[in-house]
Amino acid sequence: MNILTCNNLTKRFDKTLALDSVNIATEPGKIYGLLGKNGAGKTTLIKLINGLLTPTAGEILFKNEPIGVESKKRISYLPERTYLDRDMTVEKVFDYFADFYENFDRPKAERLLADLDLEKSMKISKMSKGMQEKLQLILVMSRDADLYILDEPLGGVDPATREYILDTILQNFSENASLIISTHIIADIERILDEVIFIDNGKVVLHSAADALRETEGGSIDDIFRRRFKC
Amino acid sequence: MDFVFDNERPIYLQISSLLRTQIVSGKFQPGEKLPSVRELALAAKVNPNTVQKALTELENEGLIYTERTNGKFVSSDANTILIAKNALAKEKAAKFFEEMQNIGYSDTEALNYINHFGGEGK
């Protein structure tokens, strides 16, 4: 069964067509790269999947059901911008997640945190940007979900932190789930992707297995993306 | 095992090629159990599906086989491994002669170079 299915999904903001008849289906055990320039429609799509926006037309199904309260429990979402209260400590954030999500695996989160040498008494506001990103990734990957959606998890972090983020994704990703990563930083991430979805002007312009694309078009996904979307 | 990939070529082909080399060179012995898909994926820092695809290639070539509950093993058939080894040697030799030709050596001259002078630089 597909985890996520978008059928002719369309979103219009006043006169702007942000998403135009998007069709996507995701299978369990696969990692999808949602790739597009800034403003292509990636975040709009992700917000629709998370029920933060409502479609103008078309539908989104999560395990064959319309999205809603149930789907929210099973989708673990890392937003592009931080939503954590800067005055909270790590401990408090864990409490909050444990209250909010019954599928939050606290021991797992504690284990991942221990690898980072981060004190639980530390406040979010005292952490570097890279550290905050790591913490948020730990929170998201410590939920037992069917769909993980990471919106620009690599934005503004150093290469070592990127490595950590990719490793953590690979180590904690279950084969029963789908994972969608949206990014415009492709080179670092492309080796972990099963399939790539190019999105441009609100349309899916290409959806292919990553290795098949390297074979047919020649070059890396990063090269192919640059060739397609030359400004 | 060191995995260094270039993003230009399908990653599963790079993984299968690396493992093939390890098998024909005897780093993985005939009959030896291979690391699990998950272990290989973590070591290579790629997706498990990519490793799975690489292993399917090797399985189709008869270099490895799956024991249903036990995992994947290197073939115990010395002949199959030898054939794969010869195929790789042929490929590398052909490439050598081609590159020598590019710098103006005929095949005979290239061969003479190997016979008489090849060891010098080592």
Side-chain angles (χ1 to χ4, degrees), chain A residues 29 191-192 194 211 223, chain B residues 8 11-12 38 45 47 49:
Chain A
R191 65 188 155 79
I192 79 164
D194 281 304
D211 269 347
D223 292 337
Chain B
E8 309 274 316
I11 292 174
Y12 80 96
R38 210 174 167 81
K45 303 193 173 193
N47 189 302
N49 294 319

Side-chain angles (χ1 to χ4, degrees), chain A residues 57-228:
Chain A
E59 62 173 357
I60 312 171
L61 298 175
F62 179 78
K63 293 189 144 183
N64 294 341
E65 300 283 335
I67 58 159
V69 179
E70 280 310 306
S71 73
K72 278 189 188 173
K73 288 184 190 163
R74 307 298 306 160
I75 298 177
S76 190
Y77 167 45
L78 177 72
E80 192 180 2
R81 292 203 175 80
T82 182
Y83 53 91
L84 298 175
D85 183 337
R86 293 175 60 76
D87 286 330
M88 275 195 199
T89 60
V90 176
E91 181 84 57
K92 231 29 264 105
V93 173
F94 279 13
D95 290 345
Y96 184 78
F97 255 68
D99 278 350
F100 217 77
Y101 301 111
E102 54 194 58
N103 55 13
F104 178 61
D105 182 348
R106 187 166 187 152
K108 181 176 180 176
E110 308 255 356
R111 241 182 4 257
L112 290 169
L113 187 76
D115 296 339
L116 282 182
D117 274 333
L118 192 66
E119 288 296 324
K120 281 203 285 184
S121 57
M122 195 172 207
K123 279 190 178 176
I124 308 289
S125 56
K126 296 270 183 263
M127 293 180 191
S128 66
K129 179 162 170 52
M131 200 51 104
Q132 289 181 26
E133 290 286 340
K134 287 180 193 171
L135 174 64
Q136 291 193 80
L137 185 74
I138 287 176
L139 292 168
V140 166
M141 295 310 293
S142 295
R143 284 182 59 198
D144 172 28
D146 297 320
L147 177 62
Y148 296 86
I149 301 179
L150 314 177
D151 195 1
E152 295 285 357
L154 303 179
V157 300
D158 61 76
T161 304
R162 282 182 196 173
E163 278 298 296
Y164 172 86
I165 289 174
L166 295 183
D167 285 352
T168 306
I169 291 171
L170 281 176
Q171 279 166 22
N172 296 286
F173 167 59
S174 118
E175 47 193 65
N176 304 318
S178 292
L179 191 144
I180 299 174
I181 304 176
S182 106
T183 189
H184 53 250
I185 304 169
I186 301 170
D188 287 337
I189 210 167
E190 62 172 85
R191 65 188 155 79
I192 79 164
L193 302 178
D194 281 304
E195 297 194 9
V196 295
I197 299 166
F198 283 8
I199 183 163
D200 191 36
N201 281 325
K203 286 194 170 77
V204 171
V205 293
L206 186 133
H207 183 168
S208 165
D211 269 347
L213 197 60
R214 292 187 185 100
E215 238 160 359
T216 54
E217 298 231 357
S220 65
I221 304 297
D222 192 43
D223 292 337
I224 296 163
F225 182 86
R226 284 166 202 262
R227 285 205 294 267
R228 286 262 175 140

